[in-house]
Amino acid sequence: MELKIYNIKGEDTGKTIVVSDSLFQTEPNDHVIWLAVKQYLADQRQGTHKAKERSEVSGSTRKLKRQKGTGGARCGDINSPVMIGGGRAFGPRPRDYRFKLNKKVKSLARLSALSYKAKDEQIKVVEDFSFEAPKTKNMVQVLKNLQLNDKKSLFVMPSNQENFVTLSARNLRNVRVMSAQSLNTYEILYANTLVFSETALKELDSNNARA
């Protein structure tokens, strides 16, 4: 597959980049996409929720009234879940929501999401760029040049590259920056437009070929 390369001024450089067809033309599998998104969201949960149960609330353990002869239901101490201020029955406890997905399943989900974006023409490739200093106005100008002002955008940069792009975008609500190595299905689907730097796209294609 061949894609045009633009510069950060939004101009067509006349250059193109060729990537393997499997990267953007895989037959999408909706079920594995659902699994990958479900796993990502589960990983974000802290799982620290906790409610005090009967044995954990503070209160007397004295039996409130005799067992029989009152004409009402029998009851125990004030810590009972049916009493105001008592413990909660079967309340939430701390737990880990994470679950495992096979690497090939996650890879297929990522390729499926990328294929959907390519089909909808929501992918741009730009020349490698960086800023001399972390300034939000620099990133705003790039978005304006690429006509992405009002769109949720994901900039994919080369892994382990030290630059100020991430710092320049951190105050912009609709812009995310991440490395090619960290790219995941959820982030791909969340963005309206994916903007790949030239080196990042080559890195992603190379990783896909080795998978």
Side-chain angles (χ1 to χ4, degrees):
M1 185 175 180
E2 190 173 6
L3 298 169
K4 293 181 180 180
I5 299 177
Y6 297 86
N7 58 27
I8 58 175
K9 295 181 180 180
E11 303 167 339
D12 188 345
T13 62
K15 298 187 296 181
T16 59
I17 182 171
V18 178
V19 295
S20 58
D21 291 340
S22 62
L23 191 61
F24 294 123
Q25 295 180 339
T26 296
E27 183 66 28
N29 187 317
D30 292 342
H31 181 63
V32 296
I33 289 178
W34 176 79
L35 286 173
V37 171
K38 181 182 178 182
Q39 186 200 40
Y40 177 86
L41 294 176
D43 287 349
Q44 308 310 304
R45 300 186 68 172
Q46 289 184 331
T48 55
H49 40 29
K50 177 69 173 72
K52 289 186 178 182
E53 297 188 353
R54 182 171 187 158
S55 63
E56 298 170 315
V57 295
S58 177
S60 173
T61 59
R62 178 182 64 87
K63 187 173 177 63
L64 295 177
K65 62 183 180 181
R66 57 182 176 161
Q67 183 79 347
K68 297 178 179 291
T70 64
R74 52 195 169 171
C75 66
D77 58 47
I78 200 172
N79 301 325
S80 170
V82 300
M83 303 297 291
I84 295 176
R88 180 172 173 182
F90 308 112
R93 294 182 176 182
R95 58 164 291 192
D96 186 358
Y97 285 92
R98 293 177 295 180
F99 63 92
K100 181 181 180 299
L101 275 186
N102 292 334
K103 288 183 179 179
K104 289 187 177 180
V105 172
K106 295 172 72 172
S107 177
L108 178 58
R110 186 166 54 249
L111 293 176
S112 297
L114 288 171
S115 298
Y116 272 129
K117 290 297 180 182
K119 183 179 179 181
D120 296 336
E121 298 182 350
Q122 295 179 340
I123 291 178
K124 287 182 178 288
V125 183
V126 298
E127 292 179 323
D128 293 341
F129 71 97
S130 183
F131 301 132
E132 294 181 357
K135 292 186 178 180
T136 303
K137 67 178 182 180
N138 292 339
M139 197 66 186
V140 170
Q141 186 62 48
V142 171
L143 293 172
K144 183 177 180 181
N145 295 339
L146 296 175
Q147 299 180 353
L148 300 175
N149 298 52
D150 302 322
K151 297 180 180 179
K152 290 184 290 187
S153 306
L154 174 62
F155 282 76
V156 185
M157 308 299 290
S159 301
N160 302 322
Q161 177 178 323
E162 292 294 333
N163 57 47
F164 294 118
V165 177
T166 303
L167 296 176
S168 299
R170 62 183 174 178
N171 289 332
L172 299 175
R173 185 178 63 179
N174 290 330
V175 181
R176 299 192 183 192
V177 180
M178 65 189 318
S179 67
Q181 188 176 8
S182 303
L183 191 63
N184 61 72
T185 305
Y186 178 86
E187 296 291 354
I188 294 171
L189 296 176
Y190 181 82
N192 295 130
T193 303
L194 301 181
V195 182
F196 289 92
S197 74
E198 188 176 353
T199 301
L201 186 56
K202 291 179 181 178
E203 180 183 342
L204 186 65
D205 190 30
S206 176
N207 293 339
N208 177 55
R210 291 197 299 266

